[in-house]
């Protein structure tokens, strides 16, 4: 399952986010999206979890939860158009 996580604090690192997500199950990858011009986080990320049930539980429990001072948006990522 590919999960979108938005409204992240710009200081959050991929390792930090991986630790949070691993509380819900196995994490294949974490990718924080970086602005090419500034090299800084754009405030959102994608997390890949192989087990859909674990991914759904993470979405249910983390959506609108506060992390590093910001209320996260966590939902299933939509395929690129």
């Amino acid at each position: 399952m590919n999960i979108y996580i938005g409204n992240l604090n710009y200081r959050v690192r991929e390792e930090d986010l991986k630790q949070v997500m691993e509380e819900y199950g196995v994490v294949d990858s974490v990718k924080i999206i970086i602005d090419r011009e500034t090299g800084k986080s754009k405030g959102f990320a994608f997390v890949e979890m192989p087990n859909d049930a674990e991914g759904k539980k993470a979405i249910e429990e983390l959506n609108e939860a506060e992390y590093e001072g910001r209320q996260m948006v966590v939902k299933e990522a939509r395929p690129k158009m």
Side-chain angles (χ1 to χ4, degrees), residues 15-32:
E15 303 84 47
D16 302 332
L17 198 52
K18 184 173 184 186
Q19 284 183 332
V20 169
M21 297 303 289
E22 283 179 333
E23 292 178 25
Y24 298 92
V26 176
V27 174
D28 281 347
S29 67
V30 175
K31 181 70 180 156
I32 291 179

Side-chain angles (χ1 to χ4, degrees), residues 10-72:
Y10 297 111
R11 292 186 303 271
V12 171
R13 297 173 308 156
E14 289 178 352
E15 303 84 47
D16 302 332
L17 198 52
K18 184 173 184 186
Q19 284 183 332
V20 169
M21 297 303 289
E22 283 179 333
E23 292 178 25
Y24 298 92
V26 176
V27 174
D28 281 347
S29 67
V30 175
K31 181 70 180 156
I32 291 179
I33 306 305
I34 304 296
D35 185 297
R36 276 184 241 149
E37 292 180 18
T38 65
K40 296 183 180 177
S41 167
K42 286 190 168 190
F44 68 97
F46 293 96
V47 175
E48 194 68 48
M49 294 182 79
N51 183 306
D52 283 358
E54 292 173 351
K56 285 184 171 113
K57 183 169 174 47
I59 289 169
E60 287 172 15
E61 295 193 17
L62 292 175
N63 188 40
E64 298 184 352
E66 189 173 307
Y67 181 60
E68 295 291 320
R70 299 191 71 169
Q71 191 175 21
M72 296 187 292

